[in-house]
Amino acid sequence: MADKTIQLKIKRQPNPEVAAYWEDFELPWRPNMNVISVLMELAMLAKTKDGKPTTPITYDSNCLEEVCGSCAMLINGKAHMACSALIDDLEQPIKLEPLSKFPIVRDLAVDRKVLFENLKRVKAWIPIDGTYDLGPGPRQSEAQQNEEYPYSRCISCTCCMEVCPQFNEDTGFVGAATIAQVLLFNLNPTGQMQAPERLRALMGDGGIHECGYAQNCVEICPKDIPLTKAIATVGRAVVGQAVKDLFTT
Ligand code: SF4
Ligand code: SF4
Ligand code: FES
């Protein structure tokens, strides 16, 4: 048992201007390790499998309990949260690569600001700030809270965008996570006031009609968010809003 090791192949890229390359790593196995704990140990080790000194691997992480959404990467070719990827569940050598649909920052860290731009596009918030106390919001039944809750579980990991065939530069598609947030805020009794604006933001280039219903998103989502249900519900609402606008403008 003492000789058991963990073998890894990690894609390195010091900055976006230089070509990526692979480095091999080896470290002793311990029980209950996950990909982040291995990356932490490699930072202390600072050498490759063949003993060559190397720099610590850059990656994003924060909560270490699949809540912050920052540690998404390709693990053995599949988009996954590194903090919840247990070493004992992975085939070795474990291949780590950055998400492929987002600009590289360094090594395993990518720039996922496109998701936050998309959330801004659809006003994925409830405007409650003001110069005076607005008081408590409307009461919601338990049934209504239960309907909204699954969509509030999104951790902005972007895994659904990584696997979506329609999320690319040609379509400019906003992706499933943004559409699910439109549903969340439109279901909310206070958020409903901005519902038409959110629906209109999903018309036109990059909007909801770009979705090809491939359903990759719902399969990969680490929070089991019913993304295809959200897309279908919001899709109907967008069509309804377009018809309403036709007769009122
Ligand atoms: S259903 Fe398919 S095309 Fe639509 S958002 Fe999900 S993965 Fe993308
Ligand atoms: S919908 Fe799921 S896969 Fe997409 S960003 Fe949110 S948590 Fe991640
Ligand atoms: S470190 Fe926060 S989700 Fe993995």
Side-chain angles (χ1 to χ4, degrees), residues 115 153-160 177 220-223 225 227:
L115 172 58
R153 287 165 46 87
C154 178
I155 57 174
S156 304
C157 66
T158 66
C159 289
C160 56
I220 204 81
C221 177
K223 293 299 176 187
I225 297 173
L227 292 170

Side-chain angles (χ1 to χ4, degrees), residues 6 36 197 224:
I6 302 168
I36 294 287
E197 288 175 62
D224 296 326

Side-chain angles (χ1 to χ4, degrees), residues 55-228:
T55 51
I57 296 136
T58 300
Y59 58 95
D60 286 318
S61 74
N62 190 355
C63 68
L64 306 183
E65 53 182 359
E66 210 181 69
V67 171
C68 76
S70 65
C71 67
M73 58 182 71
L74 295 182
I75 300 174
N76 286 347
K78 195 173 168 203
H80 206 292
M81 310 314 293
C83 65
S84 58
L86 299 177
I87 296 300
D88 290 348
D89 292 343
L90 298 169
E91 200 174 301
Q92 296 196 29
I94 299 164
K95 262 174 77 180
L96 303 183
E97 298 168 77
L99 295 180
S100 66
K101 299 270 190 86
F102 304 86
I104 189 87
V105 175
R106 182 180 169 127
D107 293 338
L108 303 174
V110 295
D111 181 352
R112 293 174 295 163
K113 72 165 178 268
V114 62
L115 172 58
F116 301 97
E117 294 302 326
N118 292 344
L119 292 172
K120 280 197 265 178
R121 166 175 167 166
V122 299
K123 294 190 167 67
W125 58 76
I126 294 175
I128 53 166
D129 290 340
T131 52
Y132 58 93
D133 184 1
L134 296 173
R139 286 174 67 84
Q140 296 184 53
S141 68
E142 192 179 341
Q144 185 167 0
Q145 290 172 36
N146 287 340
E147 195 185 345
E148 292 166 28
Y149 179 69
Y151 306 106
S152 74
R153 287 165 46 87
C154 178
I155 57 174
S156 304
C157 66
T158 66
C159 289
C160 56
M161 296 155 83
E162 171 72 18
V163 299
C164 174
Q166 294 298 101
F167 177 71
N168 55 55
E169 279 181 7
D170 291 342
T171 64
F173 179 40
V174 293
T178 298
I179 295 168
Q181 292 309 291
V182 166
L183 182 57
L184 172 65
F185 289 103
N186 284 5
L187 282 171
N188 183 283
T190 307
Q192 273 167 18
M193 282 189 273
Q194 285 78 35
E197 288 175 62
R198 294 193 194 94
L199 297 175
R200 287 186 197 114
L202 288 176
M203 300 173 190
D205 288 349
I208 196 163
H209 64 281
E210 306 285 0
C211 171
Y213 297 102
Q215 309 205 3
N216 297 4
C217 52
V218 77
E219 279 170 31
I220 204 81
C221 177
K223 293 299 176 187
D224 296 326
I225 297 173
L227 292 170
T228 41

